[in-house]
Every structure is written in structure tokens, then in C-alpha cells.
Amino acid sequence: MRFLLPWLALALAGCVPAPFSRHLSERADAQVRECAQLFRQVDTMVEKAGVRDGGEARIKGYPYLRTTRFLASFIDKAAKDPEKMQWVAALRQTDLKARHYELMNVTGPGDGAQVLKRLDQCGELLAKADAANDVEYGNLKRAVVVPSDYRTWKRAIGFYALTRIPFASGVRDYQRDTENIFGTAIENLKVEGKLVRYGPAADGAHEISAGLPTYPAPARSARELARLFERNAPIFEVDEAGDFDRIGALAWGPKDRVAADANSPTVYHRAAYTRYQDRVLLQLVYSVWFPARPKTGSFDLLGGHLDGVIWRVTLDEQDRPLVFDSIHQCGCYHQFFPTPRARLKPKPGGLDEYAFVPQKLPSIGAKERVVLRIASRTHYIQRISLVADDSPVERTYTFTDDDDLRSLPMNGKRRGVFRPDGIVPGSERGERFFFWPMGVPNAGAMRQYGRHATAFVGKRHFDDPGLAERYFAMGDE
């Protein structure tokens, strides 16, 4: 194929990938067959280099498409034109974005642009061929599935039906302890070091990507997103007892290990979307990383290299906060902080984890900013408070696109900080040896967005577009 760069041919030398598609059949159109061959070759190259991106789900039999849980939730809506082609286009753009980072990690910045352009053209050709065929489009819809980040076989051999009982008791103990902390007067909360506030830099957030395709929500401009991210940016009030408590930027360090540079306070942002009834709501996602959660001793199962907190703001159609929620970068400690317009629904029976609400928030004023009080070492959220949006801070942070973590410089080459399974290498925790019966692979390790299982008892994913409707009734105060 004349458009392929020389490195592609070299990378494929000796590789004999298995056929994956009816498009490789001799009966297929020549252009379709050539395009299918290109996708097969590039996939082989990426796999050989070990740089497959695990953030979005590949669709078996359709290598030019990838999906998210949000996009997969519109399968039934995308039944006919124009919704059908818009939905498929969103799946295709999701694949192209992931391939952009994969190619950078194989070839370096810029060198894969020619191949990516051809993949875009070929993806459009294959999409039209499949969407035009009713039978094939039906097969495609059945194939659009995001695999669970739980392992059923682990639950089976771990006697989950029995072992979940003590785990559920442990979850209740954690929630009671957390409620006690949130019930303590803020001036009486223990401070191990010094309280340091991090706030957004004065120049705000710039060049914010809209993230993955927003179908069927209207597209937001980069300027509009920047305004919303800056307006809703939280202040992180961290109890700093050591460098392990300082917010930093991720980078590849010595011995090819991911580290958080505490000299560069950074908040990673991404735009996401959720659903409530027939509405699509914008979510603003803010992520911070710490160098470590230091171990308290040899038997500390929760401590280890790297730690972090994710803070998410769900907005209504008028861009007013409805509900906030948070997890750690491992997917642990999922907490919800609703405003008066998001009322928690009654908890059903059973042991499965439900929405944990340690604090309800008032409506956020136009000139108010949320403050997250964060404990030393564990980096647990201890309180949410409100201050004037121009309140002084000790340190300012800069914004960086969360997707930048999919390709960072690494000793003359580039690599994403996440493995193909979505895990940050080197961030493993001892708890994985004890928590595996709950089905969460590598429990406690830091994860890529879209790969966060957030409940040990039951099943719940942070990017599930049905969470808001499952737990809350939204409306006016």
C-alpha cells in the first residue's frame, strides 16, 4: 500500500495477523478490502509495540469503531438516518482519537499523521458500507458492548455470594467513619502538617478539548468549555505533611516509572456526558495526582506509589451544578454531594452498594467556589465548603487535558501512563491479594478514565451514563 510509511512495513515484518472481518473476503470491493487490510496492519503494529490504548472499548469485528458506555446507551435511539449515521460517526471518531495516541506512541509526534488521515478515510468507507446494510447494521448494534470492569470468574471462585457479606460490613464501617469525620466541626479536624489551598491560575483554562464525541448533545466550543471549567474549578485544601501530599503533574521518571512532579501543580480536565431521562447533561471532570499514599507499616494494604482524586460536576441545561461526585484514581471511595435540586432516591433492599452521600450541599452561588478539604497521606475528602470565587490561595494550578496522559515523553520515545488494561504500572496495592473475590481486577491500582469500577459489593462504573437517574430525582428546589 503506497501511502504507508516505511516504518509500518518494517514493524509488520514477520507478523501474520488472523483475519478479523468479512471485509477481507475476496468477494468484498477492492477499496473495502484494502481499507480492512490497513486496519489489520495498524492493529498488529500497535499490539506488537504494546501501546494499545484501553480507555475506550474496541468493537469486535469493526476495527474502525470504538465505544464508550455513554455512546453505547444510544443503541436503540440510533435506528435510522440521520441518527444512525451520526451515531456511527461518533463511534468512528472515538476510534480515531484513540489511534492518534497509539500512533504517537509508536512513531513519535507527527510521523503517523499520514496513516491517521488514511485511517479516517477508510473508516468512513467501511462505516458507510456497514450502515447501508440492514443485516450488517443489526450485527453492529449487537456488537457495541463495553466489557464490564468486573471479572465474574473471580467472583465465582471467590464464593462471592458468601464473601460479599463481610465486605458489605466493611463498607458500612467505612461509611460510618466517614460520616463521623464529615460531622466533625471543620475547625476540629485533625491537621498533620499545614493546610495549603490550590486554586486555578488567573489566566484560567485554555484550549479545552470537547473530549470524545458528544452525540447526541450539541457540541460545545473550546472557549465555552474553558469558561465552564474555570468557573466550576474547585479549590483543593490539602493537609500537607510531606511531598506525598503535594499535587503534581504525571511524567515518566527514572527506570521508566510514572511519577507525580510536585513542582508542577496540575489539574487534568475532561468533558464527559451523562443521561437523565431524555436529557443529556454535561459533566466537568477534574483530576489531581499525588506522588504517593505513604504506607504506615509493613501490613498497610492501601499505601503505595501514586494516589489521586477525581472530582466531577454534573451540570443542568443552564450550566448550573446539579450534583457533585468523587472517587480516588483507583475507583475507590465513591461519594456523592447533591445540591437541593438533586434528591436522593430511597435505597432499595439488599447488600449492593448504593449512593453514599456524606454531605449535602446548598445551591452554589454565581460568585462562589467549592473547596475540597483533603486529608494528609490518605487523601480522603473530609469536607466540602464554599468560599468567594476570588478567595486567596497559596498555590495555583494549571489545567491540562486529561487525554494528554495517553502519550507522554519517555526516554526518547512516547508512552501513555496506562497499560492496555487501563492500569498505571507500579501503582499496585497489597489489597489486590485480599479483595479479588469482589471481582475488581488489581483492586487499589490507579486507573484510566472509563475503567473505574466503584463498588466492591454489587457493580457500578464511574462512567455509567445511568448513575444520575438511578440515584437521584432531579428538579427545581
Side-chain angles (χ1 to χ4, degrees), residues 160-241:
Y160 171 76
L162 296 176
T163 54
R164 68 182 184 138
I165 298 174
F167 271 88
S169 177
V171 169
R172 290 194 296 271
D173 289 342
Y174 151 74
Q175 292 179 348
R176 279 194 293 268
D177 290 343
T178 301
E179 288 170 342
N180 288 335
I181 291 173
F182 274 83
T184 301
I186 193 167
E187 62 270 16
N188 293 333
L189 289 174
K190 182 179 179 181
V191 178
E192 294 190 16
K194 177 184 177 182
L195 293 178
V196 177
R197 285 189 172 185
Y198 294 76
D203 56 354
H206 295 285
E207 299 301 322
I208 291 181
S209 166
L212 293 172
T214 62
Y215 170 90
R220 301 276 189 146
S221 69
R223 178 177 296 181
E224 183 180 9
L225 282 174
R227 178 184 62 81
L228 289 172
F229 270 101
E230 194 285 326
R231 169 67 192 87
N232 293 278
I235 291 174
F236 298 91
E237 184 179 62
V238 186
D239 179 3
E240 288 190 0

Side-chain angles (χ1 to χ4, degrees), residues 248-274:
L250 291 192
W252 285 103
K255 300 181 180 179
D256 293 344
R257 192 185 197 198
V258 181
D261 180 3
N263 293 314
S264 300
T266 300
V267 170
Y268 295 89
H269 55 66
R270 71 166 53 243
Y273 292 85
T274 191

Side-chain angles (χ1 to χ4, degrees), residues 3-8 103-104 106-116:
F3 57 87
L4 292 179
L5 299 176
W7 52 259
L8 180 55
L103 287 171
M104 276 208 301
V106 173
T107 71
D111 291 342
Q114 184 180 350
V115 176
L116 191 67

